Structures are given as structure tokens and as C-alpha cells.
Amino acid sequence: MEIKVNDMAAVSPESVGIPSQAVLNFIDELEFAGLCMHGFIMVKDRKVFAEGYYAPFHADFPHRMFSISKSYTSVAVGLLQEEGKLSVDDKICDYFPDKLPAGGLHPYIRETTIRDMLRMASPHKLTTYKQMKCDDWVKTFFHVEPVRYPGTSFVYDTSASHVLAALVEKLSGMSILEYLKVKVLDKLGCSGEFRWLTDPMGVSQGGSGLICTLRDMTNFAIMCMNGGVYNGLQLVPKEYITEATAKQIDTSLQYSIEEQQGYGYQFWRCRNNGFAMYGMGGQLAICLPDYNFILTTIADNQGIPNGVQGIYTALWNNILPCLKENKSNIEVDKASSEKLKDRLSKLEVKAVKGSETSAIVNEINRKRYLLSPNPMGISECWLEFGKGNEGTFYYTNETGNHQINFGFGHMKQQDFPDIDLLSISSAAWVDENTLHLRSYIIEELPGSVNMTITFIKNTITICMKKIAENALHRYEGFASGELKA
């Protein structure tokens, strides 16, 4: 297979003891579970034995990594500790005197250490910048009323990660990305596709803002699993990375079994004595040191029940048994090997399932409908069906006239209306009267808009559901209307 992650060797699965059929079964299980995958890489003994991308994604695609950012932030904190610029036992409030409330600091926050924040044991119950309307996200951490003693129990608090990134930037005098480039990323041979989104004050979003390629993220994971060493260089202190990837706090109250295995310093533990970097929707780096194995993925499984756990399950069901056999190499099954090569070259994000046509197409084609007041603010809409199994949904809302181009059985690309981020869209008739149209946002804010458009006699009813924080707030709700006279 012609695959390569920077300077790592690319080999056949069989050469590291994994049958090609096992990888095919892994891909099949992801598809059967209805997961929306964008790409994956499998590495054993520092050798890439499977790498695939689901079109339109590709190896050089800069992908939003969401909470994988937290693990990078943690490493930056460990590097600053090595430099003597902080200790993880320091009180976080001592570094931000200008952010503290004038009326006095709550004692729970006053006692919060950097270590507490690293292991998600801050005194808050939720991410603070989502509770307090303020452009200064760092300030909110010190102003929102806390609910518990710090260091006592696990609660996932992205604002803690954000404040840690602000700390890195304050003490290093650089953005967290520039600091990590100098200390680690450039030495990993990473690409130039790195970006890091910032908050309204220009502070890097330490808990969710990282954008990079899957290959770059894979290199970082390899360095972490190898005790901070890469190509013989100790890039991150071994003691720190060992602590960071070990269990530092109990997480038994989490919902999924994988999240119940404990948490380190901005790294998750997982079953089979592993640890993981984990970002919303299926950005994953699952590291199994006992088997010298890593699976990294990019995906958008937001809104899919058991979506992220489904990736773990496919790994445990299909690849782990081979790892346990611990064979250095096995005989190549030529048929399976060729099938895998072909499969990896033809992966694509799946279009909506259903029929490509309906008996009512000619009745509704280019017919305009006027809608009653609705949460989406759509006043008028219509569908146009063209040649080549494609169509367009036209609509007018408070921001103007817009269109979503879609394919039947395939994807159409365009900048999504209102937010101007690249999207892919497909549609299918799920019954004679109902069209299902789905758009995935694929740039810096992965998310989706799902809608059904139902026609009964001279009426239209639209149901929209969005997944993507607040960016798609106009695309949620119901609307009904009638054929325009």
C-alpha cells in the first residue's frame, strides 16, 4: 500500500501480524453501525499498515480535532514545568491576578491547582464561558460560582483546558501552537496544516481549537505512547507524559464504558490498558502500549447514538484479537490484500439512503411554496431537479436568498449558506412524499443539517435538525406552508 505517515514505514497488514481481512471487517463494522468516518490510520511497531480517507477527505485535509486539543495543551504544560516556569501543584489564580473578581475570590477557586485542572477536577460543574456571557473566556473561570471543592471528583470542564492554554501563552510569550512547534511539532516532521482557533480575546482555544491533519495527529500520538521520545529525541519529559497518560482520577459516573476507565492529565484511559486522545464526534488516537499499536480517526458522529463507542467496538472486535495473537508476520492472503487496497482507495462519505426519484417530482419541480412564520425564518422555498441525479433546494430567510445543491447517491460540494464553510450534501426519497436532505459541514466546524421535506397535496412541511454548536442556529425547527398562487 502506498501510504506513509511522515517518516514511518508503510507495510502490509500481514507483515505486522494482522490479516487484511481483519481490516476489511473493521471497515465493514463501522459502515454497518452507520458511522460517518472521515479517515483512519492504523500503526503497529511504528509501521503504518492501513490508512484510508473517505472522499472528499484526504491525507492533507486540515481537520478540526476538538478536544484532542486538550492533550496538546497538557503536553505544553508539562514542557513549561520542565523549564521551571510552573509546577502542576501551583494555584492557578496566582497566575491571573488581573482576571480575579474585585469583590474577592471564592475559596474553592483560590485552592484550585494546575493539577486539578489537568485531571478535570476543577470546582466547576460546566464549562464556564458557556454559562457567563463574556468575551474574556479566561475571566469566566474565576467569576462563575463554583459548586465543589477542587480535586475531589471528575467533571468535564473545557474552560479549565482553555485557562491552561492561556497560562502556556502567558508564560511562553508565544501562542500555544508556536510554542509546541518549537518544542515538539517541528521535530515530529509535521506538516504546515496546523491552525488553532482563538476565543474573542485572541487566546487559543486550548480545549477544542486545534486543526491539523490526521497524519500529524498520529505522529503526536506515537510520541506520547513512546514516553515522549521521537526518533531518539526526548521531546517531552518521560515522567510527565507517563503521569499524563495514566489514571489520575476516577470517571466511573461517565455514560460510556470507555469513558469509565479513568482520566489522566487531559488524556482519557480506555480498556485493554490503553489511553486515548478524544475529540467530539470521533476524533480519536487510541494508544495500546501493550501491543505497540495505535488507531487514529477523524469523523463526524455527532448526533449518532454510540457513535464514538462504535469505533472502539469495531477495534476490539476485529483488530484486538489479532494483536493478542502477537504474531510478527503472517502469510498474505492475496485476494483479501487486493480487496483491501481497492476498498481503501474507494472510501467515501455515504450519501443519504433511499430512492433517487419519486412519482411526485414533476408535480413539485420548481413550484414555489410560501411558509408560515417559523423558527428557521424561511419565508419561501422550492425544489429544482436537474439532470445527472442532482437537485437544488432554494429558500429565502432573513439573510437573503440561498440554495443547497445536493446529489442523489453522491455528494455535491459548496459553501454552506450563512456560515460560508465548505459542505457536502446528498438527498434521497424516503417515501413517495418525503425527501431527506442532509448536509455535512466539513471545514473548521464539523457539523450537519438534516431535513425532511414532505409534500401532501398543495402543502409543504419542513423539519430541520442541526448539529454544530451555535453556528447553524437558523436550521432547527418545523415549518409548514402552501403552494404559492
Side-chain angles (χ1 to χ4, degrees), residues 69-127:
S69 313
K70 294 177 170 69
S71 302
Y72 282 70
T73 297
S74 172
V75 165
V77 169
L79 291 167
L80 284 171
Q81 179 171 254
E82 180 187 38
E83 293 179 26
K85 293 182 177 179
L86 62 79
S87 165
V88 296
D89 295 315
D90 292 343
K91 304 290 196 301
I92 190 62
C93 63
D94 293 341
Y95 290 94
F96 294 97
D98 56 322
K99 306 292 184 182
L100 307 184
L105 188 63
H106 194 288
Y108 293 177
I109 297 176
R110 185 183 303 116
E111 294 304 312
T112 301
T113 66
I114 294 171
R115 189 191 304 274
D116 294 333
M117 299 170 75
L118 284 167
R119 62 195 191 103
M120 288 297 180
S122 86
H124 294 295
K125 64 178 180 180
L126 295 169
T127 298

Side-chain angles (χ1 to χ4, degrees), residues 329-347:
N329 63 76
I330 57 177
E331 185 177 348
V332 175
D333 179 340
K334 291 184 178 180
S336 295
S337 178
E338 290 303 315
K339 186 177 179 181
L340 177 59
K341 290 177 184 178
D342 183 66
R343 186 77 173 275
L344 290 172
S345 70
K346 295 178 179 178
L347 294 173

Side-chain angles (χ1 to χ4, degrees), residues 19 62 136 155 161 164 198 211 217 243 250 262 265 269 271 278 280 287 295 313 345 380 429 439 456 471 476:
D136 190 338
V155 172
S161 309
L164 291 175
T198 62
I211 297 172
M217 189 256 281
E243 290 182 3
D250 179 73
Y265 294 161
R269 295 292 299 173
R271 287 180 292 175
Y278 168 22
M280 181 173 67
C287 302
L295 167 67
T313 301
S345 70
E380 184 176 359
W429 291 94
S439 298
I456 299 178
E476 180 90 26

Side-chain angles (χ1 to χ4, degrees), residues 287-322:
C287 302
L288 304 179
D290 291 351
Y291 305 103
N292 203 13
F293 171 87
I294 294 175
L295 167 67
T296 57
T297 66
I298 47 177
D300 184 8
N301 293 306
Q302 299 174 77
I304 299 177
N306 212 36
V308 174
Q309 186 62 51
I311 299 173
Y312 279 100
T313 301
L315 172 62
W316 303 150
N317 288 344
N318 300 290
I319 306 300
L320 181 64
C322 306

